[in-house]
Each structure stands twice: as structure tokens, then as C-alpha cells.
């Protein structure tokens, strides 16, 4: 039995789909199991008893904890519950660059303690560190449909943007095969691509130009605070924008190809398959 946490999110839902298509026995943890029909089980990372129920009989677990201040605590709670349940394998979805800083306002620090707990758990483990998701472009859909420019807070800085479907496929391989145990994989797409370059590719697929507009970080910060955003998360966003703008995320990995036996999907591939969202 494989327990998939975060089962209604971008990665978890695709992992669940792929596992069921392979005929694997699965259970999907969510706060609202009615969304997942027969596969759903109620669970909350902040409720140890619910984790124990969700993990009962599960020998493998996908650890996919939600973005937020409690992420590390949720990772540790899941690892501890998996230990109590006698789970044999854990695959953790982490983040690109984890461990490169201890700054709490930098997401590269958020998964560090969870990774450490996974490695020290006594279970077989695999850690996946994806780069920025191609699906983050959906945040621009309203602007693109309205003919408005895409706000760009990262200048010409690029990332090895990864298709979340590739992340899910690598996760499924790690969950179902022993060859990936004890490995940490960085998951990127095939190219380092900036926001203006993403807009150019988006426009090419749509058959019309998609513009971008440079937004200084101070202006972006003021706008987010004025909209009522949590000041802590505003600082996290600013740190991330600055990191990408400075070229800190502009590296690629061959791990997707090594695991899947084919090149990773490109941003253009993702756009072609999701063009309806922008039309």
C-alpha cells in the first residue's frame, strides 16, 4: 500500500493518477477525503492520530507537505508517524537548492530538517528537489487573456523550469522501484528560461504576442503588503525573486532524464498542453 499525502495538489493528484493507472494499491490523504472517492482517507499533519490512521498498513509513503511556516513541523510529524506505523519507504518532495542557506525567509531552508529526518528515519528513502514549476505560469492566465502584460520581478534571471508531470513521474518511479533508494534528485526542465522567454514561448503557442513588464522589487513588495498579504510571506517572495534575478537558480540537472530514460518536458510542451487556460 502506497500512501500519497498532498493528494489533491498539482503533484499529488498526478502521482495518484499514475499509480492507479499502474494498478498499484494506493491511499490518498487529504483533509476532505470525499474529493477522492474510494482512495481518500482523512488526515491532517497537525493531528498525529489522523496520521496514524492514514499510515496504518502503508509500507510506502509520498511525503508532500504544503508550503507554509509549518512545513518543517509537518515533515517531522509525518516521518515520526511513518516510523510508528512500520512504513518501509518514504519519498519526500523537497525543493531545488535545499540546504544552501539557513535563512528562514528563503524556501531553500524550509525542507532541510525534513530531509534530515527522512535520511535518519531508518526507512528506505528518496528525496526529490524540483525547480520552479511550469504550472506557476497559470498565475499569468488572467493577464494574458485580458491582453495585459505579465509582471516580471526577476528580470532576465532564469530557472530550469520543470513540468510538474515529470516530477510526478519521477516520484512514481521512486515509490515503486528500489533503484532510487538513498538518492537525492534535482529535477529541472531541459533549459534555463526567464520570464520574458516564457512569455515569448507562450505567445508563440497562442499565436499572439505576450508582453512582460518589469516590476521593481520594492514596488512588488508595497503592492503585496497593500493587498493584505502576510508580511513574512512577502519577505519570502522578495528573497526568492532576488535569488532568481541574480542567476542563483540558473542551473540544470540530468536527473529527470536519468530516471525516466527520456529528456524532460520543456516549458513549451507544458504550454501546448495547457493553452486553453490562456485563451
Amino acid at each position: 500500500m502506497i500512501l500519497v499525502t498532498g493528494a489533491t495538489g498539482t503533484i499529488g493528484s498526478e502521482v495518484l493518477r499514475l499509480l492507479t493507472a499502474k494498478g498499484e494499491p494506493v491511499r490518498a490523504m487529504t483533509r476532505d477525503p470525499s474529493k477522492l472517492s474510494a482512495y481518500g482517507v482523512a488526515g491532517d499533519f497537525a493531528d498525529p492520530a489522523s496520521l496514524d490512521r492514514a499510515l496504518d498498513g502503508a509500507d510506502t509513503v509520498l511525503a508532500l507537505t504544503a508550503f507554509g511556516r509549518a512545513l518543517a513541523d509537518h515533515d517531522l510529524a509525518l516521518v515520526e508517524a511513518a516510523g510508528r506505523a512500520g512504513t518501509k519507504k518514504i519519498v519526500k518532495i523537497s525543493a531545488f537548492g535545499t540546504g544552501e542557506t539557513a535563512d528562514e525567509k528563503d524556501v531553500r531552508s524550509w525542507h532541510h530538517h525534513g530531509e534530515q529526518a527522512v535520511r535518519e528515519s531508518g526507512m528506505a528513502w528518496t528525496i526529490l528537489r524540483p525547480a520552479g514549476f511550469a504550472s506557476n505560469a497559470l498565475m499569468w492566465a488572467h493577464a494574458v487573456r485580458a491582453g495585459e502584460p505579465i509582471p516580471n520581478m526577476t528580470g532576465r534571471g532564469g530557472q530550469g523550469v520543470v513540468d510538474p508531470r515529470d516530477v510526478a513521474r519521477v516520484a512514481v518511479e521512486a515509490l515503486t522501484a528500489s533503484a532510487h533508494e538513498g538518492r537525492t534528485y534535482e529535477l529541472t526542465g531541459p533549459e534555463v528560461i526567464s520570464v520574458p522567454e516564457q512569455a515569448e514561448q507562450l505567445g508563440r503557442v497562442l499565436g499572439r504576442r505576450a508582453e512582460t513588464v518589469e516590476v521593481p522589487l520594492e514596488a512588488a513588495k508595497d503592492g503585496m503588503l497593500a493587498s493584505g498579504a502576510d508580511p513574512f510571506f512577502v519577505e519570502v517572495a522578495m528573497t526568492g525573486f532576488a535569488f532568481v534575478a541574480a542567476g542563483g537558480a540558473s542551473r540544470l540537472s540530468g536527473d529527470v532524464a536519468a530516471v525516466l530514460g527520456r529528456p524532460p518536458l520543456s516549458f513549451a510542451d507544458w504550454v501546448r498542453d495547457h493553452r486553453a487556460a490562456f485563451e
Side-chain angles (χ1 to χ4, degrees), residues 123-186:
M123 292 176 271
W125 58 267
T126 307
I127 291 170
L128 309 181
R129 295 175 173 174
F133 291 166
S135 55
N136 291 343
L138 290 171
M139 295 185 294
W140 308 331
H142 176 77
V144 172
R145 288 195 302 268
E148 299 170 354
I150 294 167
N152 176 21
M153 281 73 77
T154 53
R156 303 300 301 186
Q159 303 181 64
V161 174
V162 65
D163 190 315
R165 295 172 296 183
D166 276 349
V167 178
R169 290 183 180 104
V170 172
V172 168
E173 290 298 317
L175 289 164
T176 59
S178 61
H180 310 291
E181 293 172 3
R183 302 291 299 274
T184 298
Y185 293 125
E186 288 195 332

Side-chain angles (χ1 to χ4, degrees), residues 4 7 11-21 26 28 36 39:
V4 177
I11 301 300
S13 60
E14 180 66 4
V15 168
L16 185 62
R17 186 189 71 80
L18 293 170
L19 287 173
T20 53
V26 295
L36 296 170
Y39 302 111

Side-chain angles (χ1 to χ4, degrees), residues 17-278:
R17 186 189 71 80
L18 293 170
L19 287 173
T20 53
K22 287 169 64 74
E24 297 287 347
V26 295
R27 183 184 297 154
M29 191 183 93
T30 175
R31 290 183 179 179
D32 184 3
S34 65
K35 295 179 180 179
L36 296 170
S37 64
Y39 302 111
V41 59
D44 187 324
F45 292 113
D47 180 356
S50 75
L51 293 179
D52 290 340
R53 290 190 295 270
L55 282 157
D56 185 29
D59 53 19
T60 302
V61 60
L62 177 68
L64 209 173
T65 43
F67 183 86
R69 294 197 202 202
L71 188 152
D73 290 339
H74 290 174
D75 274 345
L76 297 178
L78 182 62
V79 171
E80 290 171 2
R84 293 193 298 270
T87 301
K88 297 180 176 63
K89 178 191 285 190
I90 185 165
V91 175
K92 173 171 167 51
I93 306 292
S94 183
F96 194 75
T98 288
E100 294 176 358
T101 178
D103 182 357
E104 66 171 3
K105 293 179 181 177
D106 190 319
V107 295
R108 292 177 297 158
S109 73
W110 290 16
H111 290 273
H112 174 71
H113 293 298
E115 284 195 7
Q116 187 175 26
V118 165
R119 291 192 180 99
E120 296 174 354
S121 67
M123 292 176 271
W125 58 267
T126 307
I127 291 170
L128 309 181
R129 295 175 173 174
F133 291 166
S135 55
N136 291 343
L138 290 171
M139 295 185 294
W140 308 331
H142 176 77
V144 172
R145 288 195 302 268
E148 299 170 354
I150 294 167
N152 176 21
M153 281 73 77
T154 53
R156 303 300 301 186
Q159 303 181 64
V161 174
V162 65
D163 190 315
R165 295 172 296 183
D166 276 349
V167 178
R169 290 183 180 104
V170 172
V172 168
E173 290 298 317
L175 289 164
T176 59
S178 61
H180 310 291
E181 293 172 3
R183 302 291 299 274
T184 298
Y185 293 125
E186 288 195 332
L187 307 181
T188 72
E191 60 184 339
V192 172
I193 183 169
S194 66
V195 169
E197 289 166 337
Q198 289 178 67
E200 181 181 352
Q201 292 193 16
L202 181 57
R204 192 177 303 131
V205 170
L206 295 175
R208 55 188 171 83
R209 190 172 178 83
E211 303 282 355
T212 63
V213 59
E214 298 272 340
V215 180
L217 289 188
E218 281 303 314
K221 179 178 179 178
D222 291 344
M224 293 173 71
L225 291 172
S227 71
D230 182 324
F232 175 78
F233 287 108
V234 172
E235 292 297 331
V236 170
M238 294 305 110
T239 300
F241 293 148
F243 175 70
V244 173
S250 60
R251 69 176 188 264
L252 299 176
S253 163
D255 289 346
V256 169
V259 174
L260 300 183
R262 60 150 175 83
L265 298 171
S266 67
F267 180 74
D269 291 326
W270 181 89
V271 170
R272 280 190 289 270
D273 291 337
H274 296 84
R275 64 178 296 166
F278 300 91

